[in-house]
Amino acid sequence: MRSVIADAKRIVVKVGSSLVTNDGRGLDHAAIAQWAGQIAALRAAGKEVVLVSSGAIAEGMQRLGWRKRPTALHELQAAAAVGQMGLAQVYESQFASHDIRTAQVLLTHADLADRERYLNARSTLLALLEFGVVPIINENDTVVTDEIKVGDNDTLGALVTNLIEGDALVILTDQAGLYTADPRKHADAEFVHEAVAGTPELESMAGGAGSSIGKGGMLTKILAAKRAAKSGADTIIASGREPKVLERLAAGELIGTQLRAPTGRLTARKQWMADHLQLRGRVVIDAGAVEKLVGEGKSLLPIGVIEVQGEFARGDVVACVDLEGREIARGITNYASSEARRIVRKPSSQIATILGYVNAVELVHRDNLVVV
């Protein structure tokens, strides 16, 4: 068996609290330094990396002199606010030693549930990767409430993987991976080297939370892998205590538990669009655009659109129909219907002049479009 990380181009890496803190006594600068070094090695190998890091509340507790994790929401928020300063500072300095720039991105569930905020977060993260920046992501615990809470960074890692269409999610923890049962209680427990994400049996194997500092147990990791698989991403759950674990995974060595997505990334995404029942509108395209979409696998440009029908927002799924009204394709639109009506039959070079901004040169990008 070979690690999926070897062939993955875009990777989300989640490191747990126990791997970046001194057992809750603030941040472990030496540990963060080695994570920065490993991620630098992955980038040198041509991979894009997004890091989801715990540790803000633990660092805030240390700075505020608290030995026990508080339970009151406002105290947790205060600890997170104080700790984020230290977390960002340490990562920035450690990555700078490798001439790599970093960016702090704080998200809540509301950012990922709202269409416009989702697309804005996606655009920002993709732009950062394009600029060669390593995004450091955490839940925005300073403002989070139960209503907008993701809950744990395993889940956040999966959501970010879906958001940026990552190829793989690596969840690093203080455990070796998944066993068929708790090896501390069952001598016959077997280690699971590889399985298919989302298999019901996996959830029954997972145990509860272990650390008093972190919040995630093995079950949250299994569920995160299931969520990541919905966009076709594979997941690896491995021990962050393994020497150079990320570099060895990238070299093809299989470490920990590998949970494969049932379908590939592109297949999963296009199947979702093909089955999307809530079409928000239609765009009528000319014969030239039909040929570009069907015959050449190209994107849909505004110049190929004759008419916009219905009302839809940026990020909605719309149908592309020919002059006879037959559905040719469907995809995720980069512009709202009000914007699309202003740029139809116009070359993409005029979008900025007409709208005053450019979301994309395509009305629907080929990666977000499926011929039906």
Side-chain angles (χ1 to χ4, degrees):
M1 291 183 288
R2 175 179 167 87
S3 164
V4 294
I5 306 304
D7 300 318
K9 168 67 175 176
R10 183 175 295 163
I11 304 166
V12 176
V13 176
K14 181 265 179 178
V15 291
S17 298
S18 62
L19 301 176
V20 294
T21 64
N22 292 303
D23 295 321
R25 298 188 299 273
L27 294 173
D28 186 337
H29 291 223
I32 292 177
Q34 65 92 10
W35 291 125
Q38 290 193 57
I39 291 173
L42 263 60
R43 283 169 44 88
K47 299 183 185 299
E48 298 176 338
V49 182
V50 173
L51 180 61
V52 177
S53 176
S54 303
I57 290 180
E59 171 69 3
M61 288 167 54
Q62 192 273 334
R63 292 188 171 205
L64 292 169
W66 299 349
R67 294 186 177 181
K68 184 179 179 181
R69 183 185 176 99
T71 56
L73 179 60
H74 66 280
E75 292 179 347
L76 287 168
Q77 291 173 330
V82 173
Q84 285 291 355
M85 298 294 290
L87 192 67
Q89 183 181 45
V90 175
Y91 274 117
E92 181 182 33
S93 63
Q94 296 299 342
F95 274 102
S97 66
H98 300 279
D99 295 322
I100 297 175
R101 291 168 294 175
T102 57
Q104 184 185 54
V105 181
L106 302 177
L107 298 172
T108 68
H109 189 275
D111 296 320
L112 304 176
D114 178 84
R115 180 191 302 107
E116 283 295 319
R117 288 158 70 176
Y118 176 95
L119 291 170
N120 289 338
R122 170 183 161 83
S123 297
T124 298
L125 289 173
L126 294 181
L128 289 171
L129 292 175
E130 183 181 348
F131 298 150
V133 178
V134 174
I136 312 294
I137 298 180
N138 203 346
E139 184 161 15
N140 193 357
D141 289 314
T142 59
V143 300
V144 76
T145 63
D146 287 341
E147 288 76 18
I148 61 172
K149 194 173 187 62
V150 173
D152 60 83
N153 275 355
D154 295 326
T155 302
L156 181 61
L159 291 171
V160 171
T161 304
N162 297 150
L163 180 68
I164 65 170
E165 296 176 50
D167 299 307
L169 168 64
V170 180
I171 299 177
L172 296 175
T173 178
D174 54 5
Q175 303 174 60
L178 177 66
Y179 287 84
T180 54
D182 189 339
R184 296 169 297 184
K185 301 177 181 178
H186 303 274
D188 59 344
E190 298 180 3
F191 190 78
V192 179
H193 292 281
E194 187 170 55
V196 176
T199 305
E201 291 76 16
L202 295 177
E203 296 178 27
S204 64
M205 297 177 190
S211 170
S212 62
I213 296 297
K215 294 177 295 183
M218 188 56 67
L219 180 58
T220 68
K221 295 165 179 53
I222 297 301
L223 295 177
K226 181 180 180 179
R227 187 183 294 270
K230 291 183 178 180
S231 60
D234 303 309
T235 297
I236 287 182
I237 303 169
S239 171
R241 309 293 187 194
E242 287 280 349
K244 296 188 178 296
V245 59
L246 292 177
E247 295 177 58
R248 289 161 60 194
L249 286 169
E253 183 179 348
L254 181 54
I255 305 170
T257 298
Q258 182 163 275
L259 301 177
R260 303 294 297 263
T263 58
R265 180 171 62 84
L266 192 60
T267 301
R269 184 170 180 78
K270 294 203 169 187
Q271 185 61 51
W272 173 80
M273 284 186 288
D275 293 340
H276 205 291
L277 300 179
Q278 296 180 327
L279 291 173
R280 299 297 184 181
R282 307 198 310 174
V283 291
V284 181
I285 61 177
D286 61 26
V290 171
E291 173 57 27
K292 291 290 183 182
L293 267 58
V294 178
E296 302 179 30
K298 299 292 187 179
S299 301
L300 176 63
L301 303 179
I303 198 168
V305 178
I306 298 173
E307 182 185 358
V308 175
Q309 300 176 346
E311 301 299 325
F312 50 84
R314 176 188 173 208
D316 281 339
V317 177
V318 298
C320 306
V321 302
D322 63 13
L323 293 171
E324 304 299 321
R326 294 171 295 193
E327 183 176 354
I328 303 300
R330 60 179 58 181
I332 300 172
T333 176
N334 287 321
Y335 292 93
S337 53
S338 58
E339 300 166 320
R341 289 188 175 96
R342 296 172 60 189
I343 60 176
V344 298
R345 311 306 287 168
K346 300 292 194 301
S348 297
S349 59
Q350 295 183 15
I351 294 176
T353 302
I354 297 170
L355 299 181
Y357 54 88
V358 179
N359 285 334
V361 297
E362 313 89 356
L363 184 62
V364 181
H365 192 277
R366 63 185 180 187
D367 289 348
N368 296 327
L369 184 145
V370 57
V371 175
V372 299

